[in-house]
Amino acid sequence: MTAPNLEVELCGIKFRNPILTASGTFGYGEEFNNYIDLSCLGGIVTKSITREPRPGHPPPRTYETTGGMINAIGLANVGVDRFVSEKIPFLKTLDTRIIVNVAGFSIEEYRYCVERLNDAEAIDMLEINISCPNVGAGGLEFSSTEKGAFAITSELKKISRYPLMIKLSPNVTDISAIARAAEEGGADCLSLINTLVGMGVNHWTFKPILTNITGGLSGPAIKPVALAKVWQVHNAVKIPLVGIGGALDHFDVAEFMIVGASLVQFGTANFINPDCTVKASEGLVDYLDKSGIDDISQLIGKLGGNNEVQGKNFPACEGT
């Protein structure tokens, strides 16, 4: 019996399977190399890289909550120059796809990083984190307005030698409008969602848990939100999507793909179980066998778009 095909093609790049690690939860790959076989992954999304090294916020900067985690790391990273000289040599030894996450606080910062990375090797794609405050626009996030999303995407598209994946924030009124703006700006694909704004407070000391007061909520608690946002954006754009938000296992991968994602990133799950991604890849084979599906790409958007499902009465689910 032939094993089902897990390979997925996105932006002309073939991924071994649809499983990626999410930025900020997997370091630069080295941290997990002694625990799992990285070649079993579809790809690695690195920790965010900025123009200058950043120490991040002082601790405490993570807080476990019901069904998830709140973090305010503050984009701690080694800076793009050290990333190229110290991290790329390891990444180029890996037999998996490498996606570098880029962050910044002005278009000029993003441009510097992208131009610097253009000279590097072993990179397959850039993920552009547009959830950073734009200092030139009074602190508004690039992802908070259509104008901001279009501006950053179109500027970077002019100079990047790599396909651009624009990472969208759910903390907006209409994520579909932001997605369309990024698509019009030249985005090759979109990843969503970034974390939801949350906070924790100590009921004995009456103080916030995190030094930054608020942070980003991730983990299984946000998966239903992420599924809804992916499906909404699937209805709004023509470019491919990468789902993020609370994926723990192969069933979560399948659900994200059914609502429209081509690939799925694992984030908080890496802190719970370091080999969750490898197990999810193995689980997909069994899932597809039992589902009678011989190619995982058949799952992408299987639910259908808004026009296809609107007005239908779905029977109570079986097999759950």
Side-chain angles (χ1 to χ4, degrees), residues 197-235:
V197 175
M199 70 179 292
V201 65
N202 186 307
H203 50 261
W204 295 115
T205 65
F206 318 127
K207 294 179 180 178
I209 301 291
L210 302 178
T211 54
N212 193 57
I213 303 177
T214 61
L217 174 65
S218 62
I222 73 169
K223 195 188 88 174
V225 178
L227 286 173
K229 297 300 181 186
V230 169
W231 188 67
Q232 289 171 10
V233 172
H234 174 64
N235 279 286

Side-chain angles (χ1 to χ4, degrees), residues 51-69:
R51 182 172 59 186
E52 306 296 337
R54 290 176 57 86
H57 297 309
R61 50 191 189 182
T62 61
Y63 169 59
E64 184 175 349
T65 187
T66 305
M69 183 180 79

Side-chain angles (χ1 to χ4, degrees), residues 37-206:
D37 181 358
L38 300 181
S39 69
C40 293
L41 305 179
I44 293 172
V45 182
T46 72
K47 192 172 180 57
S48 290
I49 299 299
T50 55
R51 182 172 59 186
E52 306 296 337
R54 290 176 57 86
H57 297 309
R61 50 191 189 182
T62 61
Y63 169 59
E64 184 175 349
T65 187
T66 305
M69 183 180 79
I70 301 174
N71 85 84
I73 303 299
L75 296 174
N77 76 95
V78 298
V80 68
D81 291 332
R82 281 185 57 195
F83 174 79
V84 170
S85 63
E86 298 178 10
K87 306 302 179 184
I88 285 288
F90 167 75
L91 292 170
K92 67 192 295 186
T93 67
L94 302 180
D95 182 22
T96 191
R97 296 299 185 185
I98 303 299
I99 300 173
V100 178
N101 184 288
V102 176
F105 297 89
S106 66
I107 289 180
E108 290 71 27
E109 279 196 64
Y110 282 98
R111 285 181 59 93
Y112 180 91
C113 291
V114 170
E115 288 175 339
R116 186 74 179 85
L117 294 169
N118 276 343
D119 298 329
E121 300 176 23
I123 297 173
D124 295 288
M125 184 180 291
L126 301 181
E127 180 178 60
I128 308 299
N129 176 5
I130 63 172
S131 297
C132 308
N134 178 3
V135 294
L140 287 174
E141 293 182 357
F142 288 100
S143 61
S144 64
T145 66
E146 295 165 57
K147 182 180 178 182
F150 176 85
I152 188 73
T153 306
S154 57
E155 283 297 316
L156 300 184
K157 185 63 181 176
K158 294 175 187 172
I159 60 170
S160 177
R161 63 177 282 204
Y162 308 108
L164 293 182
M165 177 193 299
I166 307 299
K167 186 171 184 177
L168 303 181
S169 168
N171 304 307
V172 295
T173 304
D174 185 357
I175 194 172
S176 295
I178 305 297
R180 283 192 293 269
E183 181 181 43
E184 291 168 6
D188 296 287
C189 62
L190 305 171
S191 59
L192 63 154
I193 56 174
N194 208 323
T195 55
L196 293 154
V197 175
M199 70 179 292
V201 65
N202 186 307
H203 50 261
W204 295 115
T205 65
F206 318 127

